[in-house]
Amino acid sequence: MPTTESFAAVHATTVLDRTELAPGVILLGFYAPQLVRVTRPGQFVMAVPPAGERCATALGIYEAQDERASILFFVCGPRTRELAQVGVGEHLAITGPLGNGFDLSGGARNVAVVAGGVGIASVLLPAKAALAGGARVRLYYGARTEVLLVEREKFAAAGCEVLCATDDGSFGERGYVTELLARTRDVPDLILACGPSPMLRAADAVAEHIGVRAQLSLEETFACGVGGCWGCVVPLDRASAQAPAFPGPAAGGSDVVFARICKEGPVFWSDELRW
Amino acid sequence: MDLSVRLGALELPYPTLMGSGCYGSGEEYSPLVDMRGLGGIVLKSVTRQPRLGNPTPRLVQTPAGMLNAIGLQNPGIDWYLEHDVAKFAMRPCKMIGSVAGFSVDDYAYVTERLAARDEISAIELNISCPNVASEGETFACDPQLTARVVSAARSMTGKPLIVKLSPNVTNIGAIACEAEAAGADALAVINTVRGMSIDVATWQPRLGNVTGGLSGPAIRPIAVLAVYEVARAVKIPIVGQGGIETIADALEFFLAGATAISIGTANFTDPRIPLRIVEGLTEYLTQRGLNSIADLTGKANRGFANPFQYEGDEG
């Protein structure tokens, strides 16, 4: 996740399409050619709906092609409820792209992409980038139930092998997606994961167990999204290339620093996290 | 239209400051905003020693606002002076240092060292911190502690000194008087309002630090009243702040008695809001045939009808 120049800007976008993929799961496509040109896989945006309390919500960039980018989200609170009200032709303020994305510069040939629930929203672009780089990509995709395994056909159509798990066994294996990964005989040489924190911690443990490095896209409540407020930190090894460049408290003498998920992340090497 | 204002010897081309802790070092927002249109940036608070800050979660969204408990994460004054401050010279607006501490001596020490740098135009004292020597009492909540901290910092610099007051007091006017008498050039009114939020699913406080500071539109009426009260108590200029998002919000603060305003949480929704407020002020003053911010400051401030009626307002 090398820190590169920021091309972030505030974009006044227009919603092109709105699809309810499942009850409470919304895909919003919007017109943002400048954003598309500079987006790297794994980056995110802050989206502000035109009405309501107008709070900014951090969302992974799901698709970015030609003149259209999209976000995919589950309605789970006041901010996403407001976003879900935005219709085709309406305006959506989008700040981005923000953060550092996944690092595919290592030349991995066999990539495991692990997504839990809405985590699917941040992994389509890195999956496609890995495929474009000539890697074999297998998507391990978990959700509570079949209807929430949205967009899996899109990953298959892009060329991913798709393995699913559901909590209730309604589709694929019953259980957690990380258990699928733990049992695999097709050991990848790189893991890219996005999902709820418990899933990411499990992915971290599996990665360590099978001896494969993993990049995790983390989530935390953001206020600014650009590194200005220090609200979204995660403990990180001070030796990490992503550690913010200042020493921690001298009294503690600790080798851990707090890194901003929005600025230094949101993607971190799992073996450098101290969470 | 000339929108310039003065806070003591600090001259600002526009009456808009970016609130401390909301705008990092300015660098974070530089791709998004033309900073030539900002009055100034109040930097994130710096302390004598480095601080790791609070455990997460540090932020919680609440109705019309948010709670934060960052815990003053910062690299400490030594590292800050060596690595960060030189970069401030590149910003095309005034850079105001923010000093926090846990003893009177901390404030004096950090103020002296930070104010000595040319890149820093003024110092804001963040006195909403606990005093280790008096069992953690907050400096800003005690008139005598406020006076001692401001005097100590005053003796260390001739640069403009802005003292940020806490709303978590019974009589903010009395604290404001102490700060003025001790040598403050201006007062920032208000810091965040103490609050907390509990997750009813887990029965746990939502913030890692349990308590936090409430900001955003939820606190605006509290802030407007505080500015109104402070403006009646002191002669030095006031930087009004607390939930300002629009030109109308900004006007409320000027009319209550503010000379400048500070924008914090609103930047999280849209970093162009400070520029829009400047545009709106130009338009407003022009339409009304007014010449400057001074034509607005305190113009709604006509005291309280009578003390008994004021008490009754709360019922």
Side-chain angles (χ1 to χ4, degrees), chain B residues 200-225:
Chain B
V200 296
T202 62
W203 294 22
Q204 295 295 318
R206 288 186 192 270
L207 286 170
N209 187 56
V210 181
T211 68
L214 183 63
S215 65
I219 70 166
R220 194 187 309 135
I222 296 171
V224 171
L225 173 58

mmCIF file with all atom_site columns, all heavy atoms in Angstrom, chain B residues 200-225:
data_model
loop_
_atom_site.group_PDB
_atom_site.id
_atom_site.type_symbol
_atom_site.label_atom_id
_atom_site.label_alt_id
_atom_site.label_comp_id
_atom_site.label_asym_id
_atom_site.label_entity_id
_atom_site.label_seq_id
_atom_site.pdbx_PDB_ins_code
_atom_site.Cartn_x
_atom_site.Cartn_y
_atom_site.Cartn_z
_atom_site.occupancy
_atom_site.B_iso_or_equiv
_atom_site.pdbx_formal_charge
_atom_site.auth_seq_id
_atom_site.auth_comp_id
_atom_site.auth_asym_id
_atom_site.auth_atom_id
_atom_site.pdbx_PDB_model_num
ATOM 1   N N   . VAL B 1 200 ? -27.317 0.170  23.245 1.00 0.00 ? 200 VAL B N   1
ATOM 2   C CA  . VAL B 1 200 ? -28.279 -0.614 24.025 1.00 0.00 ? 200 VAL B CA  1
ATOM 3   C C   . VAL B 1 200 ? -28.242 -2.093 23.647 1.00 0.00 ? 200 VAL B C   1
ATOM 4   O O   . VAL B 1 200 ? -28.802 -2.933 24.360 1.00 0.00 ? 200 VAL B O   1
ATOM 5   C CB  . VAL B 1 200 ? -29.714 -0.062 23.888 1.00 0.00 ? 200 VAL B CB  1
ATOM 6   C CG1 . VAL B 1 200 ? -29.796 1.333  24.479 1.00 0.00 ? 200 VAL B CG1 1
ATOM 7   C CG2 . VAL B 1 200 ? -30.196 -0.080 22.443 1.00 0.00 ? 200 VAL B CG2 1
ATOM 8   N N   . ALA B 1 201 ? -27.560 -2.432 22.550 1.00 0.00 ? 201 ALA B N   1
ATOM 9   C CA  . ALA B 1 201 ? -27.417 -3.848 22.200 1.00 0.00 ? 201 ALA B CA  1
ATOM 10  C C   . ALA B 1 201 ? -26.359 -4.515 23.074 1.00 0.00 ? 201 ALA B C   1
ATOM 11  O O   . ALA B 1 201 ? -26.518 -5.649 23.517 1.00 0.00 ? 201 ALA B O   1
ATOM 12  C CB  . ALA B 1 201 ? -27.066 -3.988 20.725 1.00 0.00 ? 201 ALA B CB  1
ATOM 13  N N   . THR B 1 202 ? -25.260 -3.785 23.339 1.00 0.00 ? 202 THR B N   1
ATOM 14  C CA  . THR B 1 202 ? -24.151 -4.372 24.102 1.00 0.00 ? 202 THR B CA  1
ATOM 15  C C   . THR B 1 202 ? -24.095 -3.887 25.550 1.00 0.00 ? 202 THR B C   1
ATOM 16  O O   . THR B 1 202 ? -23.301 -4.382 26.342 1.00 0.00 ? 202 THR B O   1
ATOM 17  C CB  . THR B 1 202 ? -22.804 -4.019 23.448 1.00 0.00 ? 202 THR B CB  1
ATOM 18  O OG1 . THR B 1 202 ? -22.649 -2.582 23.484 1.00 0.00 ? 202 THR B OG1 1
ATOM 19  C CG2 . THR B 1 202 ? -22.745 -4.485 22.004 1.00 0.00 ? 202 THR B CG2 1
ATOM 20  N N   . TRP B 1 203 ? -24.952 -2.866 25.883 1.00 0.00 ? 203 TRP B N   1
ATOM 21  C CA  . TRP B 1 203 ? -24.926 -2.254 27.213 1.00 0.00 ? 203 TRP B CA  1
ATOM 22  C C   . TRP B 1 203 ? -23.569 -1.618 27.511 1.00 0.00 ? 203 TRP B C   1
ATOM 23  O O   . TRP B 1 203 ? -23.144 -1.527 28.659 1.00 0.00 ? 203 TRP B O   1
ATOM 24  C CB  . TRP B 1 203 ? -25.284 -3.269 28.318 1.00 0.00 ? 203 TRP B CB  1
ATOM 25  C CG  . TRP B 1 203 ? -26.691 -3.768 28.277 1.00 0.00 ? 203 TRP B CG  1
ATOM 26  C CD1 . TRP B 1 203 ? -27.532 -3.762 27.198 1.00 0.00 ? 203 TRP B CD1 1
ATOM 27  C CD2 . TRP B 1 203 ? -27.440 -4.345 29.345 1.00 0.00 ? 203 TRP B CD2 1
ATOM 28  N NE1 . TRP B 1 203 ? -28.737 -4.297 27.521 1.00 0.00 ? 203 TRP B NE1 1
ATOM 29  C CE2 . TRP B 1 203 ? -28.714 -4.683 28.838 1.00 0.00 ? 203 TRP B CE2 1
ATOM 30  C CE3 . TRP B 1 203 ? -27.147 -4.616 30.685 1.00 0.00 ? 203 TRP B CE3 1
ATOM 31  C CZ2 . TRP B 1 203 ? -29.692 -5.268 29.634 1.00 0.00 ? 203 TRP B CZ2 1
ATOM 32  C CZ3 . TRP B 1 203 ? -28.123 -5.213 31.482 1.00 0.00 ? 203 TRP B CZ3 1
ATOM 33  C CH2 . TRP B 1 203 ? -29.381 -5.529 30.943 1.00 0.00 ? 203 TRP B CH2 1
ATOM 34  N N   . GLN B 1 204 ? -22.893 -1.159 26.514 1.00 0.00 ? 204 GLN B N   1
ATOM 35  C CA  . GLN B 1 204 ? -21.585 -0.534 26.710 1.00 0.00 ? 204 GLN B CA  1
ATOM 36  C C   . GLN B 1 204 ? -21.612 0.900  26.184 1.00 0.00 ? 204 GLN B C   1
ATOM 37  O O   . GLN B 1 204 ? -22.307 1.187  25.205 1.00 0.00 ? 204 GLN B O   1
ATOM 38  C CB  . GLN B 1 204 ? -20.504 -1.292 25.914 1.00 0.00 ? 204 GLN B CB  1
ATOM 39  C CG  . GLN B 1 204 ? -20.272 -2.714 26.377 1.00 0.00 ? 204 GLN B CG  1
ATOM 40  C CD  . GLN B 1 204 ? -19.718 -2.781 27.784 1.00 0.00 ? 204 GLN B CD  1
ATOM 41  O OE1 . GLN B 1 204 ? -18.847 -2.001 28.154 1.00 0.00 ? 204 GLN B OE1 1
ATOM 42  N NE2 . GLN B 1 204 ? -20.249 -3.691 28.584 1.00 0.00 ? 204 GLN B NE2 1
ATOM 43  N N   . PRO B 1 205 ? -20.819 1.794  26.813 1.00 0.00 ? 205 PRO B N   1
ATOM 44  C CA  . PRO B 1 205 ? -20.647 3.120  26.216 1.00 0.00 ? 205 PRO B CA  1
ATOM 45  C C   . PRO B 1 205 ? -20.073 2.964  24.806 1.00 0.00 ? 205 PRO B C   1
ATOM 46  O O   . PRO B 1 205 ? -19.254 2.084  24.559 1.00 0.00 ? 205 PRO B O   1
ATOM 47  C CB  . PRO B 1 205 ? -19.617 3.799  27.136 1.00 0.00 ? 205 PRO B CB  1
ATOM 48  C CG  . PRO B 1 205 ? -19.706 3.052  28.421 1.00 0.00 ? 205 PRO B CG  1
ATOM 49  C CD  . PRO B 1 205 ? -20.060 1.632  28.060 1.00 0.00 ? 205 PRO B CD  1
ATOM 50  N N   . ARG B 1 206 ? -20.522 3.813  23.901 1.00 0.00 ? 206 ARG B N   1
ATOM 51  C CA  . ARG B 1 206 ? -20.062 3.681  22.516 1.00 0.00 ? 206 ARG B CA  1
ATOM 52  C C   . ARG B 1 206 ? -18.629 4.163  22.319 1.00 0.00 ? 206 ARG B C   1
ATOM 53  O O   . ARG B 1 206 ? -17.958 3.728  21.403 1.00 0.00 ? 206 ARG B O   1
ATOM 54  C CB  . ARG B 1 206 ? -20.981 4.478  21.587 1.00 0.00 ? 206 ARG B CB  1
ATOM 55  C CG  . ARG B 1 206 ? -22.350 3.863  21.401 1.00 0.00 ? 206 ARG B CG  1
ATOM 56  C CD  . ARG B 1 206 ? -23.101 4.669  20.352 1.00 0.00 ? 206 ARG B CD  1
ATOM 57  N NE  . ARG B 1 206 ? -24.505 4.315  20.312 1.00 0.00 ? 206 ARG B NE  1
ATOM 58  C CZ  . ARG B 1 206 ? -24.995 3.345  19.532 1.00 0.00 ? 206 ARG B CZ  1
ATOM 59  N NH1 . ARG B 1 206 ? -24.202 2.663  18.745 1.00 0.00 ? 206 ARG B NH1 1
ATOM 60  N NH2 . ARG B 1 206 ? -26.281 3.079  19.543 1.00 0.00 ? 206 ARG B NH2 1
ATOM 61  N N   . LEU B 1 207 ? -18.188 5.140  23.122 1.00 0.00 ? 207 LEU B N   1
ATOM 62  C CA  . LEU B 1 207 ? -16.837 5.659  22.964 1.00 0.00 ? 207 LEU B CA  1
ATOM 63  C C   . LEU B 1 207 ? -15.847 4.863  23.808 1.00 0.00 ? 207 LEU B C   1
ATOM 64  O O   . LEU B 1 207 ? -16.148 4.518  24.956 1.00 0.00 ? 207 LEU B O   1
ATOM 65  C CB  . LEU B 1 207 ? -16.774 7.128  23.401 1.00 0.00 ? 207 LEU B CB  1
ATOM 66  C CG  . LEU B 1 207 ? -17.400 8.163  22.467 1.00 0.00 ? 207 LEU B CG  1
ATOM 67  C CD1 . LEU B 1 207 ? -17.471 9.516  23.163 1.00 0.00 ? 207 LEU B CD1 1
ATOM 68  C CD2 . LEU B 1 207 ? -16.624 8.277  21.156 1.00 0.00 ? 207 LEU B CD2 1
ATOM 69  N N   . GLY B 1 208 ? -14.675 4.620  23.254 1.00 0.00 ? 208 GLY B N   1
ATOM 70  C CA  . GLY B 1 208 ? -13.630 3.934  24.013 1.00 0.00 ? 208 GLY B CA  1
ATOM 71  C C   . GLY B 1 208 ? -13.299 4.679  25.291 1.00 0.00 ? 208 GLY B C   1
ATOM 72  O O   . GLY B 1 208 ? -12.976 4.077  26.316 1.00 0.00 ? 208 GLY B O   1
ATOM 73  N N   . ASN B 1 209 ? -13.403 6.007  25.248 1.00 0.00 ? 209 ASN B N   1
ATOM 74  C CA  . ASN B 1 209 ? -13.100 6.850  26.403 1.00 0.00 ? 209 ASN B CA  1
ATOM 75  C C   . ASN B 1 209 ? -14.317 7.066  27.300 1.00 0.00 ? 209 ASN B C   1
ATOM 76  O O   . ASN B 1 209 ? -14.255 7.835  28.257 1.00 0.00 ? 209 ASN B O   1
ATOM 77  C CB  . ASN B 1 209 ? -12.582 8.207  25.893 1.00 0.00 ? 209 ASN B CB  1
ATOM 78  C CG  . ASN B 1 209 ? -12.086 9.098  26.999 1.00 0.00 ? 209 ASN B CG  1
ATOM 79  O OD1 . ASN B 1 209 ? -11.210 8.703  27.760 1.00 0.00 ? 209 ASN B OD1 1
ATOM 80  N ND2 . ASN B 1 209 ? -12.658 10.295 27.110 1.00 0.00 ? 209 ASN B ND2 1
ATOM 81  N N   . VAL B 1 210 ? -15.431 6.428  27.006 1.00 0.00 ? 210 VAL B N   1
ATOM 82  C CA  . VAL B 1 210 ? -16.713 6.563  27.708 1.00 0.00 ? 210 VAL B CA  1
ATOM 83  C C   . VAL B 1 210 ? -17.362 7.918  27.408 1.00 0.00 ? 210 VAL B C   1
ATOM 84  O O   . VAL B 1 210 ? -18.450 7.978  26.859 1.00 0.00 ? 210 VAL B O   1
ATOM 85  C CB  . VAL B 1 210 ? -16.615 6.338  29.238 1.00 0.00 ? 210 VAL B CB  1
ATOM 86  C CG1 . VAL B 1 210 ? -17.991 6.473  29.878 1.00 0.00 ? 210 VAL B CG1 1
ATOM 87  C CG2 . VAL B 1 210 ? -16.030 4.936  29.515 1.00 0.00 ? 210 VAL B CG2 1
ATOM 88  N N   . THR B 1 211 ? -16.696 9.027  27.789 1.00 0.00 ? 211 THR B N   1
ATOM 89  C CA  . THR B 1 211 ? -17.276 10.346 27.528 1.00 0.00 ? 211 THR B CA  1
ATOM 90  C C   . THR B 1 211 ? -16.566 11.011 26.359 1.00 0.00 ? 211 THR B C   1
ATOM 91  O O   . THR B 1 211 ? -15.445 10.652 26.013 1.00 0.00 ? 211 THR B O   1
ATOM 92  C CB  . THR B 1 211 ? -17.149 11.279 28.743 1.00 0.00 ? 211 THR B CB  1
ATOM 93  O OG1 . THR B 1 211 ? -15.768 11.579 28.934 1.00 0.00 ? 211 THR B OG1 1
ATOM 94  C CG2 . THR B 1 211 ? -17.718 10.649 29.989 1.00 0.00 ? 211 THR B CG2 1
ATOM 95  N N   . GLY B 1 212 ? -17.243 11.978 25.769 1.00 0.00 ? 212 GLY B N   1
ATOM 96  C CA  . GLY B 1 212 ? -16.645 12.686 24.635 1.00 0.00 ? 212 GLY B CA  1
ATOM 97  C C   . GLY B 1 212 ? -17.190 14.088 24.524 1.00 0.00 ? 212 GLY B C   1
ATOM 98  O O   . GLY B 1 212 ? -17.927 14.564 25.393 1.00 0.00 ? 212 GLY B O   1
ATOM 99  N N   . GLY B 1 213 ? -16.827 14.748 23.456 1.00 0.00 ? 213 GLY B N   1
ATOM 100 C CA  . GLY B 1 213 ? -17.273 16.122 23.215 1.00 0.00 ? 213 GLY B CA  1
ATOM 101 C C   . GLY B 1 213 ? -18.252 16.151 22.059 1.00 0.00 ? 213 GLY B C   1
ATOM 102 O O   . GLY B 1 213 ? -17.979 15.635 20.981 1.00 0.00 ? 213 GLY B O   1
ATOM 103 N N   . LEU B 1 214 ? -19.405 16.769 22.308 1.00 0.00 ? 214 LEU B N   1
ATOM 104 C CA  . LEU B 1 214 ? -20.444 16.863 21.277 1.00 0.00 ? 214 LEU B CA  1
ATOM 105 C C   . LEU B 1 214 ? -20.205 18.101 20.417 1.00 0.00 ? 214 LEU B C   1
ATOM 106 O O   . LEU B 1 214 ? -19.939 19.184 20.933 1.00 0.00 ? 214 LEU B O   1
ATOM 107 C CB  . LEU B 1 214 ? -21.813 16.935 21.950 1.00 0.00 ? 214 LEU B CB  1
ATOM 108 C CG  . LEU B 1 214 ? -23.053 16.966 21.048 1.00 0.00 ? 214 LEU B CG  1
ATOM 109 C CD1 . LEU B 1 214 ? -23.179 15.694 20.226 1.00 0.00 ? 214 LEU B CD1 1
ATOM 110 C CD2 . LEU B 1 214 ? -24.309 17.182 21.882 1.00 0.00 ? 214 LEU B CD2 1
ATOM 111 N N   . SER B 1 215 ? -20.283 17.922 19.116 1.00 0.00 ? 215 SER B N   1
ATOM 112 C CA  . SER B 1 215 ? -20.140 19.043 18.185 1.00 0.00 ? 215 SER B CA  1
ATOM 113 C C   . SER B 1 215 ? -21.208 18.932 17.110 1.00 0.00 ? 215 SER B C   1
ATOM 114 O O   . SER B 1 215 ? -21.960 17.967 17.075 1.00 0.00 ? 215 SER B O   1
ATOM 115 C CB  . SER B 1 215 ? -18.746 19.023 17.543 1.00 0.00 ? 215 SER B CB  1
ATOM 116 O OG  . SER B 1 215 ? -18.594 17.872 16.732 1.00 0.00 ? 215 SER B OG  1
ATOM 117 N N   . GLY B 1 216 ? -21.246 19.916 16.219 1.00 0.00 ? 216 GLY B N   1
ATOM 118 C CA  . GLY B 1 216 ? -22.237 19.898 15.146 1.00 0.00 ? 216 GLY B CA  1
ATOM 119 C C   . GLY B 1 216 ? -23.445 20.757 15.479 1.00 0.00 ? 216 GLY B C   1
ATOM 120 O O   . GLY B 1 216 ? -23.516 21.380 16.548 1.00 0.00 ? 216 GLY B O   1
ATOM 121 N N   . PRO B 1 217 ? -24.425 20.790 14.560 1.00 0.00 ? 217 PRO B N   1
ATOM 122 C CA  . PRO B 1 217 ? -25.594 21.663 14.734 1.00 0.00 ? 217 PRO B CA  1
ATOM 123 C C   . PRO B 1 217 ? -26.326 21.450 16.050 1.00 0.00 ? 217 PRO B C   1
ATOM 124 O O   . PRO B 1 217 ? -27.003 22.363 16.536 1.00 0.00 ? 217 PRO B O   1
ATOM 125 C CB  . PRO B 1 217 ? -26.492 21.275 13.553 1.00 0.00 ? 217 PRO B CB  1
ATOM 126 C CG  . PRO B 1 217 ? -25.567 20.720 12.536 1.00 0.00 ? 217 PRO B CG  1
ATOM 127 C CD  . PRO B 1 217 ? -24.431 20.078 13.277 1.00 0.00 ? 217 PRO B CD  1
ATOM 128 N N   . ALA B 1 218 ? -26.192 20.262 16.636 1.00 0.00 ? 218 ALA B N   1
ATOM 129 C CA  . ALA B 1 218 ? -26.865 19.991 17.911 1.00 0.00 ? 218 ALA B CA  1
ATOM 130 C C   . ALA B 1 218 ? -26.486 21.003 18.985 1.00 0.00 ? 218 ALA B C   1
ATOM 131 O O   . ALA B 1 218 ? -27.286 21.292 19.875 1.00 0.00 ? 218 ALA B O   1
ATOM 132 C CB  . ALA B 1 218 ? -26.531 18.570 18.394 1.00 0.00 ? 218 ALA B CB  1
ATOM 133 N N   . ILE B 1 219 ? -25.273 21.539 18.932 1.00 0.00 ? 219 ILE B N   1
ATOM 134 C CA  . ILE B 1 219 ? -24.829 22.452 20.005 1.00 0.00 ? 219 ILE B CA  1
ATOM 135 C C   . ILE B 1 219 ? -24.929 23.925 19.614 1.00 0.00 ? 219 ILE B C   1
ATOM 136 O O   . ILE B 1 219 ? -24.550 24.801 20.392 1.00 0.00 ? 219 ILE B O   1
ATOM 137 C CB  . ILE B 1 219 ? -23.383 22.138 20.470 1.00 0.00 ? 219 ILE B CB  1
ATOM 138 C CG1 . ILE B 1 219 ? -22.337 22.501 19.393 1.00 0.00 ? 219 ILE B CG1 1
ATOM 139 C CG2 . ILE B 1 219 ? -23.250 20.678 20.880 1.00 0.00 ? 219 ILE B CG2 1
ATOM 140 C CD1 . ILE B 1 219 ? -20.900 22.522 19.939 1.00 0.00 ? 219 ILE B CD1 1
ATOM 141 N N   . ARG B 1 220 ? -25.454 24.204 18.407 1.00 0.00 ? 220 ARG B N   1
ATOM 142 C CA  . ARG B 1 220 ? -25.412 25.594 17.935 1.00 0.00 ? 220 ARG B CA  1
ATOM 143 C C   . ARG B 1 220 ? -26.118 26.569 18.871 1.00 0.00 ? 220 ARG B C   1
ATOM 144 O O   . ARG B 1 220 ? -25.561 27.621 19.213 1.00 0.00 ? 220 ARG B O   1
ATOM 145 C CB  . ARG B 1 220 ? -25.959 25.699 16.515 1.00 0.00 ? 220 ARG B CB  1
ATOM 146 C CG  . ARG B 1 220 ? -25.636 27.047 15.861 1.00 0.00 ? 220 ARG B CG  1
ATOM 147 C CD  . ARG B 1 220 ? -26.322 27.213 14.518 1.00 0.00 ? 220 ARG B CD  1
ATOM 148 N NE  . ARG B 1 220 ? -26.075 26.064 13.671 1.00 0.00 ? 220 ARG B NE  1
ATOM 149 C CZ  . ARG B 1 220 ? -27.023 25.450 12.959 1.00 0.00 ? 220 ARG B CZ  1
ATOM 150 N NH1 . ARG B 1 220 ? -28.256 25.872 12.990 1.00 0.00 ? 220 ARG B NH1 1
ATOM 151 N NH2 . ARG B 1 220 ? -26.718 24.414 12.219 1.00 0.00 ? 220 ARG B NH2 1
ATOM 152 N N   . PRO B 1 221 ? -27.340 26.266 19.326 1.00 0.00 ? 221 PRO B N   1
ATOM 153 C CA  . PRO B 1 221 ? -28.003 27.244 20.218 1.00 0.00 ? 221 PRO B CA  1
ATOM 154 C C   . PRO B 1 221 ? -27.243 27.455 21.524 1.00 0.00 ? 221 PRO B C   1
ATOM 155 O O   . PRO B 1 221 ? -27.247 28.552 22.076 1.00 0.00 ? 221 PRO B O   1
ATOM 156 C CB  . PRO B 1 221 ? -29.372 26.599 20.470 1.00 0.00 ? 221 PRO B CB  1
ATOM 157 C CG  . PRO B 1 221 ? -29.566 25.630 19.342 1.00 0.00 ? 221 PRO B CG  1
ATOM 158 C CD  . PRO B 1 221 ? -28.195 25.127 19.006 1.00 0.00 ? 221 PRO B CD  1
ATOM 159 N N   . ILE B 1 222 ? -26.589 26.411 22.010 1.00 0.00 ? 222 ILE B N   1
ATOM 160 C CA  . ILE B 1 222 ? -25.772 26.540 23.228 1.00 0.00 ? 222 ILE B CA  1
ATOM 161 C C   . ILE B 1 222 ? -24.627 27.512 22.953 1.00 0.00 ? 222 ILE B C   1
ATOM 162 O O   . ILE B 1 222 ? -24.304 28.382 23.769 1.00 0.00 ? 222 ILE B O   1
ATOM 163 C CB  . ILE B 1 222 ? -25.207 25.153 23.628 1.00 0.00 ? 222 ILE B CB  1
ATOM 164 C CG1 . ILE B 1 222 ? -26.350 24.200 23.986 1.00 0.00 ? 222 ILE B CG1 1
ATOM 165 C CG2 . ILE B 1 222 ? -24.200 25.281 24.770 1.00 0.00 ? 222 ILE B CG2 1
ATOM 166 C CD1 . ILE B 1 222 ? -25.913 22.750 24.188 1.00 0.00 ? 222 ILE B CD1 1
ATOM 167 N N   . ALA B 1 223 ? -24.016 27.373 21.769 1.00 0.00 ? 223 ALA B N   1
ATOM 168 C CA  . ALA B 1 223 ? -22.870 28.202 21.412 1.00 0.00 ? 223 ALA B CA  1
ATOM 169 C C   . ALA B 1 223 ? -23.284 29.656 21.180 1.00 0.00 ? 223 ALA B C   1
ATOM 170 O O   . ALA B 1 223 ? -22.581 30.581 21.597 1.00 0.00 ? 223 ALA B O   1
ATOM 171 C CB  . ALA B 1 223 ? -22.195 27.632 20.171 1.00 0.00 ? 223 ALA B CB  1
ATOM 172 N N   . VAL B 1 224 ? -24.413 29.851 20.515 1.00 0.00 ? 224 VAL B N   1
ATOM 173 C CA  . VAL B 1 224 ? -24.878 31.222 20.249 1.00 0.00 ? 224 VAL B CA  1
ATOM 174 C C   . VAL B 1 224 ? -25.116 31.957 21.568 1.00 0.00 ? 224 VAL B C   1
ATOM 175 O O   . VAL B 1 224 ? -24.691 33.102 21.751 1.00 0.00 ? 224 VAL B O   1
ATOM 176 C CB  . VAL B 1 224 ? -26.158 31.223 19.373 1.00 0.00 ? 224 VAL B CB  1
ATOM 177 C CG1 . VAL B 1 224 ? -26.751 32.630 19.284 1.00 0.00 ? 224 VAL B CG1 1
ATOM 178 C CG2 . VAL B 1 224 ? -25.853 30.686 17.981 1.00 0.00 ? 224 VAL B CG2 1
ATOM 179 N N   . LEU B 1 225 ? -25.752 31.278 22.509 1.00 0.00 ? 225 LEU B N   1
ATOM 180 C CA  . LEU B 1 225 ? -25.985 31.897 23.816 1.00 0.00 ? 225 LEU B CA  1
ATOM 181 C C   . LEU B 1 225 ? -24.665 32.189 24.526 1.00 0.00 ? 225 LEU B C   1
ATOM 182 O O   . LEU B 1 225 ? -24.501 33.255 25.135 1.00 0.00 ? 225 LEU B O   1
ATOM 183 C CB  . LEU B 1 225 ? -26.873 30.992 24.692 1.00 0.00 ? 225 LEU B CB  1
ATOM 184 C CG  . LEU B 1 225 ? -27.046 31.450 26.144 1.00 0.00 ? 225 LEU B CG  1
ATOM 185 C CD1 . LEU B 1 225 ? -27.640 32.854 26.231 1.00 0.00 ? 225 LEU B CD1 1
ATOM 186 C CD2 . LEU B 1 225 ? -27.912 30.467 26.928 1.00 0.00 ? 225 LEU B CD2 1
#
